[in-house]
Amino acid sequence: MTPDTAPERRTLADRLQKAGVLTHPKWRAAIEAVPRELFLQPGVFLPTDGGRRRPVTALGTDPKEWSEIAYRDESLVTQLDGHLTPPWAQGRRMGGRSRRR
């Protein structure tokens, strides 16, 4: 069962409104109504030190942590090179290419 993320959506809308970037009531209503995590399946690539990206999957992450990731006030990368998604990524990535040591 998917956890209820309505509180996280309201909190994100509050942060965006306080920052002055959410100025129209219809945009706020959209943020509060649409579960952002549904668009992040199967996972995301989170930035790490040195410009690399680390794959994180919804199924491999604690639901509370996944909600925190989904409702960050930042853009999230869901694909590299237009097709590579986190479940298929091995190790850390930079851009769309793997760095071997």
Side-chain angles (χ1 to χ4, degrees):
M1 184 174 154
T2 305
D4 177 24
T5 56
E8 287 85 353
R9 287 179 288 201
R10 283 190 299 274
T11 300
L12 177 60
D14 288 343
R15 283 196 318 261
L16 293 172
Q17 189 169 13
K18 186 175 181 180
V21 296
L22 187 60
T23 58
H24 198 283
K26 287 186 178 183
W27 280 111
R28 182 179 178 104
I31 289 172
E32 289 182 348
V34 179
R36 187 174 185 186
E37 65 274 13
L38 298 180
F39 296 95
L40 303 178
Q41 299 294 335
V44 297
F45 292 93
L46 297 178
T48 63
D49 293 337
R52 296 178 181 217
R53 296 205 174 264
R54 175 176 59 93
V56 178
T57 61
L59 291 177
T61 305
D62 174 73
K64 182 176 177 0
E65 183 182 356
W66 186 248
S67 289
E68 290 170 2
I69 290 168
Y71 291 95
R72 292 177 176 184
D73 181 13
E74 62 187 64
S75 297
L76 296 169
V77 175
T78 58
Q79 291 183 354
L80 297 176
D81 292 339
H83 58 84
L84 182 64
T85 59
W88 302 105
Q90 299 274 331
R92 293 181 177 189
R93 303 279 172 176
M94 181 169 204
R97 299 175 196 195
S98 174
R99 287 255 173 145
R100 299 189 190 265
R101 295 176 195 228

